[in-house]
């Protein structure tokens, strides 16, 4: 960051699954805490992969986070002295999240968001594309393609070991499914 920066902006960390978004978000939270900033972290209540009240990365890092079922809950839970708001899995929030992040940043809060930019079809995911557009800073991470070893921008969805169909719902609770990192060229969709 160059020049004299005023307080309050939006940072987005995006990429496919396994690209290190949660890892990077946790790193930024830790550094903010080292700087003695007051951090509040949130995640959508839908994401309880490992911990219901924490952000967890695939390599085992953890940071406390409050699960919220609607974007508005972030405003109602906000403490007066909060300097930094961190949100993981931001793609699962409703569109109201955009205005809420804008309001927080306007008020002088540093807003750090992490989320998938594409769904398993390779299409823009939920509110993430709009958040990327309004953010001051964007970090796009790549995983490693499990097929060819190239940088992976996509998330392959497998159902019973086979590529998922194009019209499969994006969120399918309880299905026997798996996700893996793949590059554009190794990404497969059954149409
Ligand atoms: P994200 O939040 O983007 O899903 P995480 O931060 O949870 O990613 O996990 C990143 C970690 O996942 C990496 O540091 C690495 O240890 C592990 N990992 C597993 N598979 C892959 C892969 N195909 N490419 C890159 N990292 C991987
Ligand atoms: Zn590949």
């Amino acid at each position: 960051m160059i020049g004299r920066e005023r307080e309050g902006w939006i940072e987005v960390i995006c990429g496919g699954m396994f690209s290190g978004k949660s890892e990077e978000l946790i790193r930024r939270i830790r550094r903010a805490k080292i700087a003695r900033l007051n951090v509040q972290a949130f995640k959508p209540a839908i994401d309880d992969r490992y911990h219901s009240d924490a952000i967890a990365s695939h390599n085992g890092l953890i940071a406390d986070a409050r699960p919220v079922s609607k974007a508005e809950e972030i405003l109602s839970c906000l403490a007066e002295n909060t300097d930094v708001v961190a949100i993981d899995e931001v793609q699962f929030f409703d569109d109201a999240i955009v205005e809420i992040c804008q309001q927080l940043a306007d008020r002088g809060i540093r807003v750090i968001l992490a989320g998938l930019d594409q769904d398993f079809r390779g299409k823009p995911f939920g509110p993430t594309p709009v958040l990327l557009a309004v953010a001051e800073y964007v970090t796009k991470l790549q995983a490693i393609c499990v097929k060819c070893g190239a940088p992976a921008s996509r998330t392959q969805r497998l159902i019973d070991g086979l590529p998922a169909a194009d019209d499969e719902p994006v969120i399918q609770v309880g299905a026997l499914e798996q996700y893996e990192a793949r590059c554009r060229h190794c990404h497969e969709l059954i149409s």
Side-chain angles (χ1 to χ4, degrees), residues 121-191:
R121 306 178 187 101
K123 297 275 187 288
F125 203 150
T128 311
V130 179
L131 291 165
L132 291 172
V134 301
E136 272 79 7
Y137 304 103
V138 173
T139 304
K140 180 147 176 161
L141 300 174
Q142 308 265 339
I144 303 295
C145 175
V146 298
K147 287 276 184 192
C148 75
S153 57
R154 302 236 180 134
T155 303
Q156 178 68 49
R157 185 184 195 199
L158 299 167
I159 297 182
D160 293 330
L162 296 170
D166 201 354
D167 57 0
E168 223 102 27
V170 176
I171 300 168
Q172 206 172 333
V173 179
L176 268 179
E177 55 176 0
Q178 261 181 302
Y179 292 92
E180 58 186 35
R182 294 207 191 170
C183 72
R184 163 189 295 279
H185 306 286
C186 296
H187 181 250
E188 293 172 274
L189 262 187
I190 307 286
S191 49

Side-chain angles (χ1 to χ4, degrees), residues 31-123:
R31 288 170 58 85
K33 287 182 175 168
I34 291 169
R36 298 201 185 81
L37 295 169
N38 293 308
V39 181
Q40 273 189 283
F42 299 93
K43 58 182 250 177
I46 182 179
D47 175 51
D48 55 2
R49 276 186 300 177
Y50 310 110
H51 297 269
S52 55
D53 54 359
I55 296 167
S57 74
H58 289 102
N59 64 349
L61 298 177
I62 284 175
D64 291 340
R66 181 178 189 136
V68 288
S69 42
K70 277 184 78 75
E72 282 84 3
E73 273 182 64
I74 294 171
L75 286 182
S76 53
C77 297
L78 202 71
E80 224 169 84
N81 61 351
T82 293
D83 305 300
V84 178
V85 166
I87 308 174
D88 199 15
E89 303 287 0
V90 75
Q91 76 278 356
F92 288 136
F93 280 97
D94 49 285
D95 290 343
I97 193 73
V98 178
E99 218 25 66
I100 287 166
C101 292
Q102 296 270 51
Q103 269 185 44
L104 294 173
D106 289 347
R107 277 199 228 165
I109 291 173
R110 175 182 171 197
V111 181
I112 318 175
L113 309 172
L116 291 165
D117 47 4
Q118 299 175 18
D119 64 18
F120 72 91
R121 306 178 187 101
K123 297 275 187 288

